[in-house]
C-alpha cells in the first residue's frame, strides 16, 4: 500500500484530530467518577430514609409532586432535544443546531427556575434535621450540575460562531450532550428517591 | 539509499533535540511538560516529607517519656492529625503522581500526558491546599485535632465558634486534594489507554503502568465517596445540617463508611505503584525476566476489585452487625491471594538471579521484606477477634506504618534512585545512597517493630501519656524515629550535590530494558517525537534473545548521540 492510496489518506483528512478522541475518553472517565458522588449521596439518603427515627421535620407532611413532575418532563425531553441538535450538527446544518441547542438551554433554564420556585415555597430549611439536609444537598448538588451544563452548552453555542470550528470534529458538543444526558439520568433516580418513594 | 551507512532517520532528528531544556527556571514556572511537572511534584512532596517527619519527631519526642510533658495534650492531638494528613495528602499522593508523570509517558512512548493543561492544574492545586492546611496552625483553636480520619462527632465540634477553624480548613484542603487527584487520575488513565506506542498491547506494557493504572482506577471509583462524605461533614460543621448528628436523625457511622470506602483502597493507591517499582527494579538488578508477567499484571486489577469490597474491616468495633463482620473478614482474607501472587513472582524472579546490590535494589529488597511482615500483621488484623482485641492500639499503628513507610516509602526511595540518572542526567553517589538505605532500614525497624509489642500489650494510640510499663518500647521507637530524621541528611546531600555536579549519566546506566532507557538522559521535551519505536515484547526480556522494540540499535545510537 502506498501513501497515495485513498484509504490511507482518509485518516489524515482535516476531520481527523488526534486529541479529540482523548477528550471524549477523559470526559467519560470523569462522568463515571462523578456518578460515584451521587451514588454516595443516594446511599446516604436511602439509609436515612430507612433507619432515621424522625424523618420528616415537625409540621411537614411530605413534598408536593406536581411541580417537580412538570420539571422532570421538561428535563427529560430536553435530553431528546439535545440529541436532535447533535443530529443537525452531524448533517452540517449549523443554524438548525444552534436553534435546537438553544431550545435545550431554555428548557434547562426552565428547570432551574422551577427548582427555585419549589425551594422558595418550602417550609423547611437546610438545618431541619436529616430530611432537610439530604433534600437540599441532593437537589442543590444536582442543580449545580444543571447550571454547569447550561454554561457548557452556552460555550458550545459561542464556539459554533467561530468560523470553521466544527469542521475539525465536534467532540465538545458530544461531551456536553453526554453530560446533559448524565444530569438527566441522575435527576430521574433522584425524582424516584425523593418524590415517588415518599408515598410508599 | 540502502548502500549508505547513514540512517535517514538520524538525519531527520535534529541535534541538539529542540526543547531539550537546560534551564532550571522552568521548574519554578507553570509548565505543561509532564517531566517538569513530575519533578515539581516530587520536589514539593519531599519538602513535605520533611514537614511531616518533623511533626512525627515531635510526637515521638513526646512519647519518649510516659508523662505528657513535652507538648500540651491538645497540641499533641493536632500534631498527629497533621502528621498523618501531611504525609498522605502532601507527601505520598503527590510523590506518586510525580513518578507517574515522569514514568508513564516515557514508558509507553507518549510525547506527553493526554491533557497537559489539566496536569499542570492538578499540580498547582497542591501548593494551594498545602497553604490552606499549613494556615490551620495559625487560626484560633489550632489545626484539626480529630485524627486523619476525622470521625464525627469529634470532628464537628467547634468550641470557639469561629467559621474558619482548623477542622474546616482541613476539610477544604482534603476536598481540593481530591479534585487534584481526580484531575490526575483522568489524565493518567486516558494516557495509558490511548497513547501507547505502536505494538504495545496491554500485555506488553511495563508493570509500573499496569499498577499505576490500577491505582488511578481506585482513585476514580473511591475518591468521590470521600469527597461526598467530606462535603456532608463540612455542612454539619459549618452550616447546621445533621447528617452525622444522632440528635437530628443522622448517623455518625455513615461517615465511617464513606471515609473507609475510599481510605482503605487509598492504601492500594499508594502500594500498587510500589509493586510496579518492585517489578521494574527486581528484574533489572537480578538480570532475569519477571516471573509470571501476566499473572502479576492481572493481579493488580484483582487487588483493585477486592480493595473496594473490604472497607468495613476498619469498623469491626463500631457497631457493625455480625454478618457484616464475617463477610468483610472473608473479603479481607481473599486480598492476600493476588498480593501473594505478586510476592511469589518477585521471589521467583530474584531466585538464582545475578543480584547487583545497588541502592534502589537494596531499598526494594528492604521494602519487600517489610511488606511481607506487614502483610502477615494485616491478615491478623483482618480477623475479627484479633481486630477487636487490638483495635485502636499501637499494633494497628505499627501495622500501617510497616505498610506505608517501611514498604511504600522505601519503594518510593528506590524509584527516586533508580530513575534519578534518567530524569536529571546525572548519576547519584552510590556510597551516600547506601548510607541512606542503612540508616533508613535500621531506623524504620527500630521505630515500628517494638510498637507491635506495645500494641499487643494494650497501649492505646492517639494519647500523649501512657502507662510506664510501655516505656521501653517507646524509647526504642523514638530512637528509631530520630534515626530516620538523621537519614534525611545523606539523602538531601546526595540529591542536591548529584544533580548539581554528579557525573553525567549515560542513556542507560543500569543496562535496563524499557522505552524510557532508549531516550537520552534527560529526555527531550517531546520524548520520542515522531520516531516512536514499535514495541515487540514486554520490557522484561533480561537474558533472553528478545528485543523489546524493532530496530533497537537505532534508538540506542540516537540516545547516545543526543
Amino acid at each position: 500500500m502506498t501513501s497515495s492510496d485513498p484509504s490511507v489518506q482518509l485518516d489524515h483528512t482535516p476531520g481527523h484530530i488526534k486529541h479529540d478522541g482523548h477528550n471524549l475518553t477523559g470526559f467519560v472517565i470523569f462522568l463515571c467518577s462523578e456518578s460515584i458522588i451521587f451514588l454516595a449521596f443516594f446511599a446516604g439518603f436511602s439509609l436515612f430514609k430507612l433507619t432515621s427515627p424522625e424523618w420528616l421535620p415537625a409540621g411537614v407532611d411530605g413534598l408536593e409532586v406536581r411541580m417537580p413532575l412538570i420539571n422532570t418532563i421538561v428535563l427529560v425531553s430536553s435530553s431528546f432535544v439535545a440529541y436532535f441538535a447533535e443530529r443537525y450538527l452531524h448533517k452540517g446544518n449549523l443554524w438548525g443546531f444552534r436553534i435546537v441547542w438553544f431550545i435545550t438551554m431554555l428548557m434547562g433554564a426552565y428547570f432551574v427556575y422551577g427548582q427555585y420556585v419549589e425551594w422558595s415555597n418550602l417550609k423547611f430549611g437546610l438545618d431541619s434535621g436529616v430530611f432537610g439536609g439530604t433534600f437540599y444537598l441532593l437537589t442543590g448538588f444536582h442543580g449545580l450540575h444543571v447550571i454547569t451544563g447550561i454554561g457548557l452548552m452556552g460555550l458550545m453555542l459561542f464556539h459554533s460562531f467561530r468560523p470553521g470550528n466544527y469542521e475539525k470534529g465536534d467532540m465538545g458538543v458530544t461531551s456536553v450532550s453526554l453530560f446533559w444526558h448524565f444530569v438527566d439520568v441522575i435527576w430521574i433516580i433522584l425524582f424516584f428517591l425523593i418524590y415517588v418513594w415518599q408515598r410508599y | 539509499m540502502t548502500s549508505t551507512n547513514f540512517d535517514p532517520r538520524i538525519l531527520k532528528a535534529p541535534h541538539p533535540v529542540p526543547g531539550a531544556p537546560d534551564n532550571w527556571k522552568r521548574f519554578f514556572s507553570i509548565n505543561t511538560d509532564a517531566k517538569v511537572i513530575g519533578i515539581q511534584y516530587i520536589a514539593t512532596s519531599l519538602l513535605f516529607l520533611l514537614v511531616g517527619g518533623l511533626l512525627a519527631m515531635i510526637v515521638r519526642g513526646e512519647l519518649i517519656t510516659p508523662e505528657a510533658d513535652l507538648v500540651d495534650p491538645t497540641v499533641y492531638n493536632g500534631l498527629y492529625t497533621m502528621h498523618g494528613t501531611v504525609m498522605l495528602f502532601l507527601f505520598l499522593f503527590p510523590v506518586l503522581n510525580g513518578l507517574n508523570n515522569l514514568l508513564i509517558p516515557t514508558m509507553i512512548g507518549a510525547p506527553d500526558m493526554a491533557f497537559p493543561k489539566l496536569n499542570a492544574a492538578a499540580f498547582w492545586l497542591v501548593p494551594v491546599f498545602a497553604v490552606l492546611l499549613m494556615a490551620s496552625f495559625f487560626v484560633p483553636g489550632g489545626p484539626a485535632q480529630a485524627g486523619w480520619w476525622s470521625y464525627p462527632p469529634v470532628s464537628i465540634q467547634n468550641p470557639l465558634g469561629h467559621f474558619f477553624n482548623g477542622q474546616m480548613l482541613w476539610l477544604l484542603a482534603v476536598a481540593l486534594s481530591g479534585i487534584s487527584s481526580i484531575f490526575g487520575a483522568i489524565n493518567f488513565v486516558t494516557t495509558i489507554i490511548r497513547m501507547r506506542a505502536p505494538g504495545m498491547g496491554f500485555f506488553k506494557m511495563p508493570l509500573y503502568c499496569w499498577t499505576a493504572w490500577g491505582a488511578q482506577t481506585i482513585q476514580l471509583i473511591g475518591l468521590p465517596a470521600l469527597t461526598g462524605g467530606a462535603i456532608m461533614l463540612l455542612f454539619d460543621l459549618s452550616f447546621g445540617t445533621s447528617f452525622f448528628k444522632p440528635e437530628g436523625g443522622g448517623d455518625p457511622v455513615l461517615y465511617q463508611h464513606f471515609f473507609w470506602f475510599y481510605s482503605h483502597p487509598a492504601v492500594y493507591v499508594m502500594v500498587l505503584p510500589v509493586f510496579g517499582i518492585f517489578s521494574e527494579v527486581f528484574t533489572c538488578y537480578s538480570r532475569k525476566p519477571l516471573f509470571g508477567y501476566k499473572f502479576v499484571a492481572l493481579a493488580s486489577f484483582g487487588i483493585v476489585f477486592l480493595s473496594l469490597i473490604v472497607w468495613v474491616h476498619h469498623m469491626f468495633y463500631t457497631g457493625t452487625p455480625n454478618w457484616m463482620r464475617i463477610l468483610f473478614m472473608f473479603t479481607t482474607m481473599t486480598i492476600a491471594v493476588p498480593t501473594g501472587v505478586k510476592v511469589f513472582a518477585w521471589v521467583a524472579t530474584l531466585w538464582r538471579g545475578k543480584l547487583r546490590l545497588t541502592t534502589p535494589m537494596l531499598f526494594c529488597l528492604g521494602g519487600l521484606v517489610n511488606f511481607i511482615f506487614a502483610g502477615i500483621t494485616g491478615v491478623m488484623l483482618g480477623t475479627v477477634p484479633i481486630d477487636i482485641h487490638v483495635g485502636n492500639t499501637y499494633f494497628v499503628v505499627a501495622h500501617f506504618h510497616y505498610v506505608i513507610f517501611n514498604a511504600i516509602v522505601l519503594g518510593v526511595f528506590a524509584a527516586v534512585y533508580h530513575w534519578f540518572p534518567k530524569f536529571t542526567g546525572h548519576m547519584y553517589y552510590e556510597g551516600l545512597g547506601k548510607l541512606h538505605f542503612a540508616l533508613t532500614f535500621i531506623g524504620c525497624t527500630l521505630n515500628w517493630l517494638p510498637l507491635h509489642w506495645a500494641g499487643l500489650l494494650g497501649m492505646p494510640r492517639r494519647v500523649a501519656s501512657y502507662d510506664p510499663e510501655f516505656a521501653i518500647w517507646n524509647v526504642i521507637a523514638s530512637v528509631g524515629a530520630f534515626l530516620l530524621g538523621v537519614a534525611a541528611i545523606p539523602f538531601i546531600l546526595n540529591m542536591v550535590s548529584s544533580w548539581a555536579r554528579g557525573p553525567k549519566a549515560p542513556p542507560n546506566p543500569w543496562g535496563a530494558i524499557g522505552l524510557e532507557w532508549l531516550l537520552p538522559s534527560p529526555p527531550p521535551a517531546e520524548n520520542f517525537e515522531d520516531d516512536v519505536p514499535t514495541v515487540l515484547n514486554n520490557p522484561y526480556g533480561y537474558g533472553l534473545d528478545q528485543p523489546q522494540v524493532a530496530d533497537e540499535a537505532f534508538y540506542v545510537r540516537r540516545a547516545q548521540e543526543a
Side-chain angles (χ1 to χ4, degrees):
Chain A
M1 233 189 248
T2 60
S3 57
S4 61
D5 190 308
S7 69
V8 173
Q9 280 184 335
L10 207 65
D11 266 345
H12 298 276
T13 49
H16 173 85
I17 289 293
K18 200 172 69 180
H19 275 266
D20 271 355
H22 299 169
N23 286 348
L24 192 61
T25 311
F27 200 76
V28 170
I29 293 172
F30 164 75
L31 284 186
C32 293
S33 187
E34 188 76 352
S35 62
I36 308 270
I37 295 196
F38 280 106
L39 212 62
F41 288 156
F42 291 158
F45 178 88
S46 312
L47 186 92
F48 289 139
K49 170 113 168 77
L50 290 171
T51 62
S52 185
E54 24 185 325
W55 175 238
L56 292 175
V60 179
D61 45 290
L63 292 158
E64 200 255 339
V65 179
R66 215 166 62 95
M67 176 96 192
L69 188 64
I70 297 169
N71 246 346
T72 309
I73 293 166
V74 170
L75 194 67
V76 171
S77 34
S78 79
S79 241
F80 292 95
V81 179
Y83 168 74
F84 284 114
E86 234 187 313
R87 286 256 307 246
Y88 275 122
L89 187 63
H90 285 308
K91 285 182 190 155
N93 183 347
L94 216 51
W95 271 108
F97 162 72
R98 283 171 191 147
I99 292 167
V100 180
W101 195 246
F102 188 67
I103 294 173
T104 319
M105 286 173 67
L106 286 180
M107 291 168 91
Y110 175 82
F111 176 86
V112 175
Y113 170 73
Q115 193 75 268
Y116 165 78
V117 171
E118 195 201 350
W119 274 24
S120 45
N121 289 333
L122 289 174
K123 287 198 275 311
F124 56 89
L126 187 64
D127 50 359
S128 309
V130 78
F131 174 77
T134 44
F135 174 81
Y136 283 104
L137 183 74
L138 275 171
T139 51
F141 197 60
H142 176 265
L144 268 181
H145 281 74
V146 177
I147 293 169
T148 311
I150 296 171
L152 288 174
M153 283 199 274
L155 195 68
M156 291 301 122
L157 196 63
F158 176 71
H159 279 181
S160 78
F161 287 100
R162 229 191 253 158
N165 186 56
Y166 289 123
E167 279 164 23
K168 52 179 195 206
D170 51 7
M171 284 307 178
V173 171
T174 312
S175 300
V176 172
S177 88
L178 208 61
F179 183 75
W180 197 248
H181 300 322
F182 166 79
V183 168
D184 203 2
V185 171
I186 294 289
W187 176 259
I188 295 172
I189 302 173
L190 208 156
F191 180 74
F192 274 94
L193 273 182
I194 294 185
Y195 296 97
V196 180
W197 193 9
Q198 63 172 338
R199 305 277 157 186
Y200 298 98
Chain B
M1 272 299 269
T2 45
S3 61
T4 150
N5 285 332
F6 293 105
D7 191 321
R9 285 173 298 179
I10 287 275
L11 296 174
K12 202 180 86 190
H15 295 288
V17 188
D22 192 25
N23 110 44
W24 57 269
K25 281 182 194 151
R26 71 189 194 282
F27 293 111
F28 296 90
S29 67
I30 295 181
N31 197 306
T32 53
D33 178 1
K35 287 178 289 296
V36 174
I37 293 176
I39 288 173
Q40 287 174 328
Y41 261 122
I42 293 176
T44 312
S45 59
L46 288 175
L47 192 72
F48 281 104
L49 174 63
L50 287 180
V51 174
L54 197 68
L55 293 170
M57 281 195 279
I58 303 174
V59 167
R60 285 308 328 168
E62 163 67 70
L63 291 173
I64 206 162
T65 55
E67 299 81 28
D69 41 15
L70 185 67
V71 292
D72 190 74
T74 56
V75 176
Y76 179 85
N77 292 346
L79 285 175
Y80 69 68
T81 302
M82 293 302 273
H83 160 71
T85 312
V86 166
M87 285 303 198
L88 290 173
F89 294 111
L90 285 170
F91 167 57
L92 271 166
F93 288 134
V95 83
L96 291 170
N97 276 356
L99 288 174
N100 285 346
N101 264 298
L102 294 181
L103 296 179
I104 289 175
T106 52
M107 278 181 160
I108 64 173
D112 202 326
M113 302 294 291
F115 311 111
K117 283 180 195 158
L118 191 69
N119 199 16
F123 168 71
W124 285 100
L125 276 174
V126 176
V128 172
F129 71 78
V131 167
L132 271 181
L133 203 60
M134 292 300 125
S136 71
F137 278 108
F138 305 104
V139 293
Q145 297 176 7
W148 86 283
W149 58 30
S150 278
Y151 277 3
V154 179
S155 55
I156 47 180
Q157 309 302 319
N158 185 6
L160 295 181
H162 290 279
F163 186 74
F164 290 101
N165 52 65
Q167 190 64 43
M168 190 257 192
L169 292 174
W170 186 93
L171 281 165
L172 279 184
V174 167
L176 283 179
S177 154
I179 293 171
S180 157
S181 295
I182 288 287
F183 284 179
I186 291 171
N187 223 334
F188 297 130
V189 172
T190 310
T191 308
I192 290 172
I193 292 179
R194 307 216 39 138
M195 294 175 76
R196 279 166 292 128
M200 187 184 268
F202 286 128
F203 285 106
K204 285 176 187 156
M205 229 169 33
L207 265 175
Y208 182 83
C209 296
W210 269 99
T211 53
W213 185 16
Q216 298 302 322
T217 308
I218 296 179
Q219 293 279 48
L220 290 168
I221 300 174
L223 199 47
L226 175 70
T227 311
I231 291 173
M232 289 162 94
L233 195 64
L234 187 64
F235 270 75
D236 269 11
L237 176 72
S238 303
F239 304 111
T241 56
S242 43
F243 299 119
F244 307 128
K245 293 175 191 156
E247 63 270 28
D251 183 358
V253 177
L254 180 66
Y255 174 81
Q256 300 181 10
H257 281 287
F258 286 148
F259 182 82
W260 289 116
F261 181 77
Y262 171 64
S263 296
H264 183 79
V267 178
Y268 293 91
V269 174
M270 295 179 274
V271 84
L272 273 171
V274 171
F275 290 170
I277 292 164
F278 283 175
S279 308
E280 305 290 333
V281 168
F282 285 147
T283 48
C284 171
Y285 296 106
S286 61
R287 315 304 300 166
K288 276 185 63 196
L290 185 69
F291 185 88
Y293 167 86
K294 269 192 186 176
F295 290 96
V296 179
L298 287 176
S300 313
F301 275 85
I303 292 173
V304 169
F305 172 71
L306 289 173
S307 76
L308 291 167
I309 51 168
V310 299
W311 77 95
V312 177
H313 68 219
H314 291 271
M315 302 159 58
F316 282 159
Y317 48 85
T318 53
T320 305
N322 240 337
W323 65 269
M324 245 168 134
R325 285 174 170 173
I326 307 284
L327 189 70
F328 280 91
M329 177 168 85
F330 177 74
T331 55
T332 306
M333 298 284 130
T334 53
I335 212 162
V337 176
T339 323
V341 166
K342 291 197 173 218
V343 170
F344 275 104
W346 295 323
V347 174
T349 304
L350 293 168
W351 190 256
R352 297 203 171 169
K354 210 172 163 183
L355 304 194
R356 273 188 294 169
L357 295 178
T358 55
T359 308
M361 183 63 159
L362 286 172
F363 268 108
C364 278
L365 287 172
L368 179 61
V369 170
N370 286 335
F371 179 72
I372 293 170
F373 186 82
I376 293 168
T377 54
V379 173
M380 284 171 73
L381 279 168
T383 50
V384 177
I386 296 180
D387 187 69
I388 291 174
H389 178 66
V390 298
N392 261 329
T393 69
Y394 264 82
F395 191 78
V396 179
V397 176
H399 160 73
F400 74 69
H401 278 93
Y402 247 80
V403 179
I404 287 178
F405 191 92
N406 297 20
I408 296 174
V409 178
L410 259 61
V412 167
F413 280 139
V416 168
Y417 282 108
H418 184 62
W419 281 285
F420 185 85
K422 174 49 61 190
F423 292 101
T424 63
H426 296 277
M427 301 299 288
Y428 63 84
Y429 298 110
E430 199 63 54
L432 279 176
K434 284 183 175 143
L435 177 67
H436 176 213
F437 168 73
L439 289 174
T440 308
F441 191 77
I442 297 169
C444 71
T445 307
L446 284 182
N447 194 344
W448 288 299
L449 196 59
L451 291 179
H452 287 92
W453 275 270
L456 282 176
L457 293 171
M459 177 177 166
R461 66 194 282 202
R462 296 186 168 157
V463 185
S465 56
Y466 54 85
D467 193 283
E469 69 163 310
F470 306 123
I472 176 67
W473 311 115
N474 281 287
V475 171
I476 302 172
S478 294
V479 169
F482 298 138
L483 204 58
L484 285 177
V486 175
I489 297 168
F491 178 62
I492 297 170
L493 209 63
N494 202 354
M495 293 293 112
V496 174
S497 64
S498 304
W499 199 346
R501 54 172 73 186
K504 208 167 155 21
N508 190 356
W510 318 126
I513 304 177
L515 290 188
E516 77 270 32
W517 303 107
L518 296 175
L519 288 163
S521 304
E526 294 274 303
N527 296 341
F528 289 102
E529 309 205 342
D530 295 334
D531 272 319
V532 184
T534 303
V535 175
L536 303 174
N537 287 300
N538 73 41
Y540 303 106
Y542 293 97
L544 306 175
D545 191 19
Q546 179 186 310
Q548 192 206 357
V549 300
D551 209 2
E552 201 167 273
F554 160 70
Y555 290 100
V556 172
R557 199 165 67 223
R558 196 178 78 140
Q560 276 162 353
E561 282 179 22

